[in-house]
Amino acid sequence: MERLPDLIEAYIDAYNRKDVEGMLMCLADNVFFQNISGGEVTAEVSDKQSFADMAKFGASAFETRHQKVVNAITVAGTTLAQIDYAAVVATDLPNGWKAGQTLAFSGSSAFRVEDGKIVSIVDES
């Protein structure tokens, strides 16, 4: 596996620790984020404040969460990462997940970096 760029590694580390401020430090002000699950867009934001609001909710929704990069490649400022994800739900969620439920799935993330900041993250599972 190719080594992750330091910026993306720092973002994932902050994500795993539920450190929203640490995540935000890695992002451009005009960051674009999209989550696709089962072929459907389930979340999308296009600025840092909206991302912060979503990230704060996400951090509180899970007792624990962990992204493990199992493969990655970076080409022309874009890093494609294959990710194994595990989490324990903290509270009942609108999508039907229940408090205490354990989640485990694989997916991919595409990170685009410009001028030393992440400008785009697209997660797909």
Side-chain angles (χ1 to χ4, degrees):
M1 177 180 87
E2 182 177 307
R3 188 177 183 291
L4 284 175
D6 290 343
L7 181 66
I8 296 169
E9 195 169 282
Y11 171 85
I12 292 172
D13 179 60
Y15 177 93
N16 288 342
R17 291 182 289 108
K18 299 195 300 182
D19 174 7
V20 174
E21 290 304 315
M23 293 166 62
L24 295 175
M25 288 179 15
C26 299
L27 305 178
D29 289 340
N30 63 338
V31 66
F32 173 79
F33 172 85
Q34 185 177 64
N35 187 78
I36 303 167
S37 182
E40 300 286 325
V41 175
T42 58
E44 185 174 286
V45 297
S46 57
D47 63 81
K48 198 171 188 175
Q49 184 56 55
S50 297
F51 185 97
D53 295 341
M54 181 187 62
K56 288 173 187 169
F57 173 79
S60 68
F62 298 97
E63 288 179 28
T64 61
R65 64 184 189 183
H66 186 79
Q67 290 186 12
K68 178 183 177 191
V69 176
V70 294
N71 200 4
I73 186 169
T74 300
V75 177
T78 298
T79 298
L80 303 174
Q82 180 183 356
I83 295 178
D84 286 343
Y85 179 82
V88 177
V89 180
T91 184
D92 292 353
L93 298 173
N95 66 358
W97 291 344
K98 300 293 182 192
Q101 182 177 350
T102 299
L103 307 174
F105 52 87
S106 294
S108 61
S109 294
F111 297 89
R112 193 162 49 91
V113 174
E114 291 177 6
D115 299 323
K117 296 288 183 179
I118 298 169
V119 296
S120 175
I121 304 169
V122 177
D123 293 338
E124 190 165 357
S125 61

